Amino acid sequence: MRPPSRSFANKHEPLPSQRPDNTAFTQQRLPAWQPLLSASIVLPFFFLVGLSFIGIGIGLHYSSNSIQETEYDYTGTLPGEACYECAVSAAKFCNCNITFNITEFFQGPVFMYYELSNFYQNHYRYMISKDENQLSGYLNSLKNPANECAPYRVNFEQKPIAPCGAVANSMFNDNITLFYNENGTYVEVPLNGKGISWWTDYNLKFRNPIDGNLNLSEIFQGTAKPNDWLTEVYNLSDDPYNNGFINEDFIVWMRSAALPTFRKLYRRIESGNFTNGLPAGEYQLRIVYTIIISFQGRKKIVFSTVSWMGGKNPFLGIAYLVFGSLCTVFAIIMLIVFLKYQGKIDDDI
Amino acid sequence: MDSWRDCFLVRWVWQQLGCDPPNHSETRTVYVANRFPQHGHYVPQKFADNRIISSKYTVLNFIPKNLFEQFRRIANFYFLIIFLVQLMIDTPTSPVTSGLPLFFVITVTAIKQGYEDWLRHKADNEVNGAPVYVVRSGGLVKTRSKNIRVGDIVRVAKDETFPADLVLLSSDRVNGSCHVTTASLDGETNLKTHFAVSETAILQSVANLDTLKAVIECQQPEADLYRFVGRLTLREHSEDIVRPLGPENLLLRGARLKNTKEIFGVAVYTGMEAKMALNYKSKSQKRSAVEKSMNSFLLVYLIILLFEAILSTILKYAWQAEEKWDEPWYNQKTEHDRNSSKILKFISDFLAFLVLYNFIIPISLYVTVEMQKFLGSFFIGWDLDLYHEESNQRAQVNTSDLNEELGQIEYVFTDKTGTLTENEMQFRECSVNGIKYQEINGKLVPEGVTVDYVDGASTSLTLEEELFFKAVSLCHTVQISHDLSDDCVDGLRFSNGISTQLEYYASSPDEKALVEASRRMGVAFSGTNGDVMEIKILGKLERYKLLHVLEFDANRRRMSVIVDSPSGQKILFTKGAESSILPHAKSGEIDRTRLHVDEFAIKGLRTLCVACRRFTPEEYQEIDQRLHDARTALHQREEQLADVFNLIEKDLELLGATGVEDKLQDKVQETIEALRLAGIKVWVLTGDKHETAVSVSLSCGHFHRTMNILELVQQKSDRECAEQLRQLDRRLKEDHVIQHGLVVDGASLSLALREHEKLFMEVCKNCSAVLCCRMAPLQKAKVVRLLKISPEKPITLAIGDGANDVSMIQEAHVGIGIMGKEGRQAVRNSDYAIARFRFLSKLLLVHGHYYYIRIATLVQYFFYKNVCFITPQFLYQFYCLFSQQTLYDSVYLTLYNICFTSLPILMYSLFEQHVHPHVLHTKPGLYRDISKNALLGFKPFLYWTFLGFGHAFIFFFGSYFLMGEDTSLLGNGQILKPNRQLMFGNWTFGTLVFTVMVLTVTMKMALETQFWTWINHFVTWGSIAFYFIFSLFYGGIIWPFLHTQDMYFVFVQLLSSGSAWFAIIIITTACLFLDVVKKVVYRHLYPTSTEKAQLTETGSGINCLDSMCCYTGGETACVSLRRLLDRVMGHCTAPRVTRCGTSLNSLCCQRFSYKLETDEPAALDD
């Protein structure tokens, strides 16, 4: 119903006070776009989305497929496997070697990951078991870790543990080196352990405690290493910029994984003769086997190249392809249905 | 002293708790001027002071009382419990996550209520602090209103309001009368005369009053404005004079003194005990159907919540049965954990899951619904279509709780007089002494006489005619306005002929019409002088002493006056409904008058019969005595009066009958037709005569000529009635083709309702129109209740304008008052008030429809978005050993409902218009699409719930697969640093899910929105932008006060991943895909009539870009955008840019016309 039109001509006569304002807002007549989800709009849109998603899907699938990835399980649960001895022995240090062949050239840079399965880094009790202040280098927290760290807060001597907590305690500390069989002799492949953590974690979030001119080992005096560690935190590396709390392996471990099966970046292969990648041939992984495997999971080493969209991820491409096709098929079916029923619908409307 | 203090304390506590101390005695004794007897038995009574407290809170008790009020709400209480549980046990989510939203909700509500209370305080203070004059210690003392005590003598001057309920002692007039208007109490604008007891009326000065020794005994305070029973005892020359006090002696607080210089009165009821204050009592709460379904949804979700929590707890313990999962080497428990009691652990685990999933109950639902209702209701008052130009009244919303109920109405019960009709009475015909007369051009023409015969002034009246009109002009409660002549208030006025300028004021339009008609016929009522009524018969003044007035009441349906005629004869004139006069008539042309009355009724005229009775002096003496006794009785005064009245009003001599026409309101027929097309059944309930009612019913389109009209009238006995009902039922069943209308009268109705409710309902439901006539007010309410509680539980609406409709208005689900001529009582008791019946169609078909759609979507969407929110959290438990690890960060948990997703839905629920209002109004059938709570039924609820769960699964598993199909590796090649490969942790995973969720949920809202104003654009895209900006900000800083820095740079890292973007796009699209498909398929294959109607609009032609900006007709958004740019860059002349600039600033495009209405000039230059 149209509101009674009123003339604005008569300015002298004051409007009655009760009269509501005749504005678009009060009369609910704000100009508005009123889209209708009708077939004529939706079908072209479906076609567009469907086809473009198929296109994207093909692209993603291709680039995911172009990524080379290979993995080696070194858990050693079965007798006869290379690391079986280490897995069952109680020794603290145990060496085992795995020899394997790469049949195709791995286009560099190549990334090396370790993968653990059935390891619940996302367990609530586990995840809260750390002291962020300690890791940020606060001296108070170093000597007096947060209660959340319990039972990994103090060691049997009641000395404060640094870094405290379950997360730090269970850090992956197998030491893995890679050798390339170059004409019968094993040449060590240079592995780069730097630049594997988040820039912000390494530079801002994790800080070593500073106390005057004391060096790291002096500052950590009076603290204990985590129970399951082999070495003190200030002895993780010779490189002072990769030692203590800012050790990148440590930082990588501290970012707890979302799911019980996870990979973490271990090393990058990007220097020496292997800057361009790993040539085909025989390789050997030399592992210092330390982490206790009673977590019922598997341990793997993964080599992977990388594309613009990240690591190997076939699902994204497949999802786009499937959804794009679905969209197109739906669009076609609906088109047919609507063409067939067009007359009837028109009658109805 | 101590005991006094105790008493005071106790009383104070009682008052704070809202309980008044019980009144022990049935009467209160008031010593005038508080002059207590020095000796003798005297029990001091305690009275409330004259402070009006309409506010609920004080500064001190605001916080506890308001909190208590708020936590009485089940949802708030639930969240309080959750919060406390979080505080007590070790839970994964910090108490802040539920504490902050709860705090937010409570604060918003508290601010709103606090503000309202502050306004009340302000109003209270103004009233309580108003200056008044009180007679104390022999002089006039100025004090504040709140200091008036019971017993004080108060002076009130002209045009002031009375500060308390006063018993009138004297006025400046000799006879002690004064005029008041009670417009602010009951809306009646006529002047009412109140009287002082003659013994006190002479005390017109302060000095005189000081000598007064008197005691007033009256009943304890009660809310009825029109009831007051009391007794004044004067001690004069050591002898007691007792005088009765009635409503005519009582001046009510809130009424205003008119036409009287000043009065003195003694305060009897003060402060919260005044009748006005007692009438403040809040009405019983009505709850809408939507609210009921909301609560049942809540229950369903509570069950889902409990189920999920129990399932999780059980699964947790199933997992933990094995040592290796319970306590692997890398995740040892503390000693304390190991040793704690198993049962306690189990309970605390269950509670922890409860806390983890508690967000499935949407905390902000209630506060959003409340805001939506409160803000949305403004649109009713703002609507120009609901504004009545002539009476300058806009629609009024008394409660915003029922907005959506307007869209659910199935039955409309309407009053006739003043609702369907104008209540503007026109005298048409009368019957005097068996002769029918018609009024033609202001002349009375007997039946059968041609018009041209009477041309000159009416020269003479027959004796019968004269007596008839004398009766008409004496037997009434009409007042004459003296407003024009302020200086004539001395009681000596209108002694000579100025009759033409006289303005009559009456609470009953019938009376006014009759008195006016009588004046035209030559018998003019020219005012009262004290208790003398003056009438001029053909210019000759006659004075009648008014001896008694037997007031009108709804049971007797007649009123009478007893006057002393100039010849000294005591005559009773009575007038009333024919059913209450004719049976008591003894002489006169009874049969022919009855015939005439029926004829009038068939023409749709309102009929009244007029009769008189002459008393012999002895008779009168007896009557006078009995009346006096009854009036002074303190107990059962009403009953005694009724008996006396019945005794007096008998053996009448019938003088004649009048026929008054009441014009139909504008567009009543169209409105009723529209309502019927909308599937609403219209019942007319009226107090009028059967024939009148039927004829009005026919003329207003309620009954059609083609309808078969069934009757259930004049049933005398139960059996007869049942038989008739059965017969009607049979007839209805036999004849399906034709529409039926049913007429029931009050007497038959009460019979039908007593024993045969079911049968009666059966008959009623099969009739397309029902008319109930001769209804008493309570019967109206009874009919409404009967339908309300019938098995289908239909939603009812009652609309009326008079005090007799109040009970029905309060009984119905929605009560609508018409701001008519019969006072404001209906309006005050209604939920909505409109000026005209025809506005009902827009109120229901447009506003009701919108409100329903808006709130229904709001409710469904709220549950949907919270299911989306919390289900991934539940699913995540399967991947983290049911360790109660949260998927989202605490801050996200907290802000999801109050920041990220709150505004789009609120704005949607304020502005959505799925169909153009014009279409809704012209196609009433669309109303059927939403009837029976269609959008909140079981099916839509299931749909939304499954949609929520479905989306949640897609969010979670989409993220799960896409970010790490067989491993948890989150592959990430950063575009800027291609040789880096970083790991994502659980927080990134959660943030991905959360991001997808915020986008999807907002886009889902966008899909639902069919009316995109710039506000919707702003909040929708703004919410998404806010989420991104906030996350970047939140993740960009190491917050010193936070315990953990889990979210540090997580969001940036996520967004710097190409895969994440692709994942976000595909998950969001996939979620919305099925919904879009469903919508399109249904729209084309099974379109509802609403959807068809959407197509009939010519698409208004506003595109998306345009809607983001304001424009005038013919201009595109780009033009105005360019202007804005020009203005920013300083290129543009000021007047040109103000168009868009001002309109953007003022939140609305002032005076900019809508494109559909291009014929309306876009006037923007005033």
Side-chain angles (χ1 to χ4, degrees), chain B residues 108-319:
Chain B
V108 167
T109 316
I111 287 174
K112 184 187 155 223
Q113 292 179 349
Y115 175 71
E116 286 171 356
D117 207 55
W118 180 70
L119 290 183
R120 283 193 287 262
H121 267 287
K122 235 174 72 171
D124 286 353
N125 286 342
E126 209 168 294
V127 172
N128 292 333
V132 290
Y133 289 93
V134 175
V135 179
R136 271 185 199 153
S137 50
L140 210 53
V141 182
K142 184 177 178 181
T143 178
R144 287 175 191 283
S145 167
K146 63 180 173 193
N147 297 333
I148 294 177
R149 282 170 299 150
V150 168
D152 277 343
I153 298 176
V154 182
R155 191 203 74 164
V156 179
K158 190 181 172 194
D159 289 333
E160 286 179 356
T161 56
F162 301 111
D165 288 353
L166 308 175
V167 165
L168 182 58
L169 288 179
S170 68
S171 75
D172 63 314
R173 298 182 192 166
V174 190
N175 61 4
S177 74
C178 72
H179 291 286
V180 302
T181 166
T182 53
S184 61
L185 288 171
D186 54 12
E188 294 177 13
T189 50
N190 61 318
L191 296 178
K192 296 190 174 74
T193 315
H194 288 250
F195 301 98
V197 175
S198 53
E199 280 76 11
T200 61
I202 48 170
L203 307 170
Q204 284 174 315
S205 70
V206 175
N208 283 341
L209 282 166
D210 211 32
T211 62
L212 177 67
K213 283 200 178 76
V215 178
I216 292 171
E217 277 170 284
C218 55
Q219 61 195 144
Q220 291 293 354
E222 64 164 39
D224 190 341
L225 291 179
Y226 309 107
R227 239 181 74 108
F228 176 68
V229 185
R231 187 163 59 188
L232 177 76
T233 313
L234 278 145
R235 176 161 283 271
E236 226 168 64
H237 314 303
S238 68
E239 98 180 91
D240 283 352
I241 307 168
V242 181
R243 290 284 172 257
L245 295 174
E248 71 278 359
N249 304 112
L250 188 70
L251 305 169
L252 298 179
R253 174 170 196 152
R256 194 176 285 275
L257 185 65
K258 286 281 183 191
N259 290 351
T260 315
K261 256 188 209 148
E262 59 170 19
I263 60 106
F264 290 96
V266 57
V268 285
Y269 303 130
T270 49
M272 297 313 287
E273 291 175 348
K275 285 183 183 289
M276 181 185 72
L278 292 173
N279 272 287
Y280 272 142
K281 289 240 168 67
S282 57
K283 289 171 281 177
S284 65
Q285 277 276 312
K286 290 184 183 176
R287 283 168 73 218
S288 75
V290 167
E291 213 177 316
K292 282 173 205 154
S293 20
M294 208 157 88
N295 287 341
S296 48
F297 291 174
L298 223 79
L299 207 68
V300 171
Y301 277 95
L302 207 63
I303 292 167
I304 294 177
L305 170 70
L306 286 176
F307 170 74
E308 283 185 353
I310 291 170
L311 183 74
S312 300
T313 318
I314 291 171
L315 285 175
K316 180 185 169 104
Y317 280 84
W319 272 100

Side-chain angles (χ1 to χ4, degrees), chain B residues 434-451:
Chain B
I435 305 167
K436 206 157 80 170
Y437 294 84
Q438 256 184 318
E439 188 190 355
I440 299 167
N441 298 332
K443 301 284 171 313
L444 204 62
V445 183
E447 194 183 29
V449 177
T450 44
V451 185

Side-chain angles (χ1 to χ4, degrees), chain B residues 705-722:
Chain B
R705 299 275 163 204
T706 53
M707 261 184 198
N708 177 26
I709 291 172
L710 308 171
E711 290 187 351
L712 181 70
V713 289
Q714 290 176 346
Q715 302 298 320
K716 300 256 159 47
S717 76
D718 208 42
R719 235 191 42 243
E720 212 179 301
C721 179

Side-chain angles (χ1 to χ4, degrees), chain A residues 36 62 73 96 106 160 184 189 195 213 221 234 259 272 278:
Chain A
L36 281 182
Y62 174 77
D73 191 322
C96 59
F106 256 63
V189 178
N213 290 325
Q221 209 63 55
Y234 48 86
L259 299 163
L278 292 177

Side-chain angles (χ1 to χ4, degrees), chain A residues 1-4 6 8 16-20 22-39 42 46 53 56 60 109 111 113 115 118-120 122-127 130 132 148 150-152 166 170 195-200 204-205 228 255-265 268 270 291-292 294-296 306-311 313-316 319-320 323 326-327 330 334 337-338 344-345 348-349, chain B residues 90-92 324-326 329-334 379 381-385 387 389 392 394 847 854 876 879-881 883 885 911 913 918 921 960-962 965-969 971-973 978-989 1007 1010-1013 1015 1038 1043-1046 1048-1050 1053 1059 1062 1065-1066 1069-1070 1073 1076-1077 1079-1080 1083-1084 1092 1094-1095 1097 1100 1102-1104 1107 1111 1147-1151 1154 1157 1163 1166:
Chain A
M1 184 190 271
R2 245 169 55 77
R6 75 180 162 124
F8 296 95
S17 57
Q18 278 288 304
R19 187 190 182 91
N22 185 15
T23 63
F25 180 74
T26 55
Q27 300 310 308
Q28 306 198 61
R29 281 189 281 118
L30 283 176
W33 173 51
Q34 288 160 287
L36 281 182
L37 280 178
S38 66
V42 170
F46 273 16
F53 272 28
I56 295 171
L60 289 173
F111 294 84
Y113 309 86
E115 178 182 319
N118 271 342
F119 191 105
Y120 284 86
N122 58 6
H123 195 282
Y124 172 62
R125 190 173 58 213
Y126 178 84
M127 275 191 52
K130 60 183 175 189
E132 299 232 0
E148 279 88 355
Y152 302 96
S170 59
I196 55 173
S197 64
W198 292 19
W199 188 90
T200 46
L204 298 167
K205 194 169 159 187
D228 290 314
R255 182 156 294 280
S256 43
L259 299 163
T261 300
F262 59 89
R263 288 178 184 181
K264 283 185 186 288
L265 187 54
R268 296 186 292 152
E270 51 173 17
I291 194 169
I292 305 162
S294 62
F295 59 86
Q296 304 292 321
V306 71
S307 77
W308 62 272
M309 54 158 284
N313 196 345
F315 196 83
L316 203 53
Y320 266 88
F323 182 69
L326 206 71
C327 223
F330 251 101
M334 279 159 73
V337 170
F338 292 145
K344 177 181 164 275
I345 292 160
D348 285 357
I349 295 165
Chain B
D90 175 35
T91 62
K324 65 181 184 196
W325 298 125
D326 185 27
W329 66 269
Y330 56 83
N331 193 9
Q332 303 278 309
K333 290 178 183 174
T334 57
F379 284 121
W382 283 338
D383 195 337
L384 268 176
D385 292 348
Y387 168 73
E389 194 85 57
N392 189 23
R394 51 163 93 179
H847 286 290
R854 289 168 183 173
Y876 191 57
Y879 295 90
C880 69
L881 288 179
S883 62
Q885 175 57 39
F911 299 115
Q913 295 178 23
H918 182 66
H921 203 175
Y960 175 76
F961 284 124
L962 286 156
E965 171 211 0
D966 52 346
T967 70
S968 72
L969 173 135
N972 170 36
N979 59 344
R980 283 204 150 203
Q981 233 333 30
L982 301 174
M983 299 292 94
F984 284 172
N986 68 317
W987 295 116
T988 319
F989 179 69
L1007 268 184
Q1010 274 165 351
F1011 193 75
W1012 284 86
T1013 64
I1015 300 171
I1038 294 185
H1043 182 60
T1044 59
Q1045 308 295 340
D1046 293 325
Y1048 189 54
F1049 261 75
V1050 161
Q1053 292 286 357
S1059 305
F1062 279 111
I1065 291 169
I1066 193 161
T1069 326
F1073 174 70
V1076 173
V1077 169
K1079 274 183 192 290
V1080 174
R1083 167 176 293 280
H1084 283 271
K1092 286 182 199 166
Q1094 287 172 341
L1095 291 174
E1097 303 168 36
S1100 71
I1102 299 171
N1103 65 33
C1104 180
S1107 65
Y1111 67 99
L1147 286 185
C1148 57
C1149 310
Q1150 291 242 356
R1151 314 245 189 280
Y1154 190 50
E1157 289 154 334
D1166 59 329

Side-chain angles (χ1 to χ4, degrees), chain A residues 80-288:
Chain A
E81 282 181 352
C83 293
Y84 179 71
E85 295 291 318
C86 293
V88 293
S89 86
K92 267 209 162 169
F93 296 95
C94 172
N95 291 300
C96 59
N97 300 339
I98 291 178
T99 314
F100 61 96
N101 275 313
I102 286 180
T103 51
E104 229 181 311
F105 177 69
F106 256 63
Q107 178 68 49
V110 178
F111 294 84
M112 192 174 149
Y113 309 86
Y114 57 89
E115 178 182 319
L116 303 180
S117 56
N118 271 342
F119 191 105
Y120 284 86
Q121 259 205 317
N122 58 6
H123 195 282
Y124 172 62
R125 190 173 58 213
Y126 178 84
M127 275 191 52
I128 57 160
S129 184
K130 60 183 175 189
D131 184 349
E132 299 232 0
N133 283 336
Q134 193 187 47
L135 300 176
S136 298
Y138 288 102
L139 284 169
N140 301 346
S141 306
L142 185 69
K143 300 282 160 62
N144 184 21
N147 287 330
E148 279 88 355
C149 286
Y152 302 96
R153 189 171 166 268
V154 290
N155 71 352
F156 59 96
E157 295 173 293
Q158 300 300 312
K159 267 180 154 182
I161 294 177
C164 74
V167 191
N169 180 64
S170 59
M171 179 178 155
F172 179 84
N173 51 10
D174 284 3
N175 193 357
I176 300 158
T177 42
L178 181 64
F179 289 82
Y180 174 55
N181 187 347
E182 203 174 86
N183 308 323
T185 58
Y186 281 108
V187 184
E188 183 166 4
V189 178
L191 300 177
N192 186 357
K194 294 279 284 172
I196 55 173
S197 64
W198 292 19
W199 188 90
T200 46
D201 282 359
Y202 176 71
N203 287 296
L204 298 167
K205 194 169 159 187
F206 287 82
R207 300 278 77 200
N208 273 326
I210 296 171
D211 189 2
N213 290 325
L214 299 180
N215 66 20
L216 221 46
S217 61
E218 288 164 341
I219 294 170
F220 278 90
Q221 209 63 55
T223 66
K225 70 172 178 61
N227 294 335
D228 290 314
W229 281 27
L230 304 171
T231 170
E232 285 75 22
V233 69
Y234 48 86
N235 286 330
L236 282 174
S237 168
D238 301 331
D239 179 357
Y241 296 106
N242 195 21
N243 200 11
F245 294 149
I246 57 168
N247 178 277
E248 293 210 39
D249 283 327
F250 176 65
I251 294 174
V252 165
W253 181 259
M254 290 306 288
R255 182 156 294 280
S256 43
L259 299 163
T261 300
F262 59 89
R263 288 178 184 181
K264 283 185 186 288
L265 187 54
Y266 187 60
R267 293 292 179 263
R268 296 186 292 152
I269 303 166
E270 51 173 17
S271 53
N273 297 332
F274 302 91
T275 314
N276 291 327
L278 292 177
E282 195 192 86
Y283 290 84
Q284 191 171 49
L285 280 171
R286 295 187 182 164
I287 300 154
V288 184

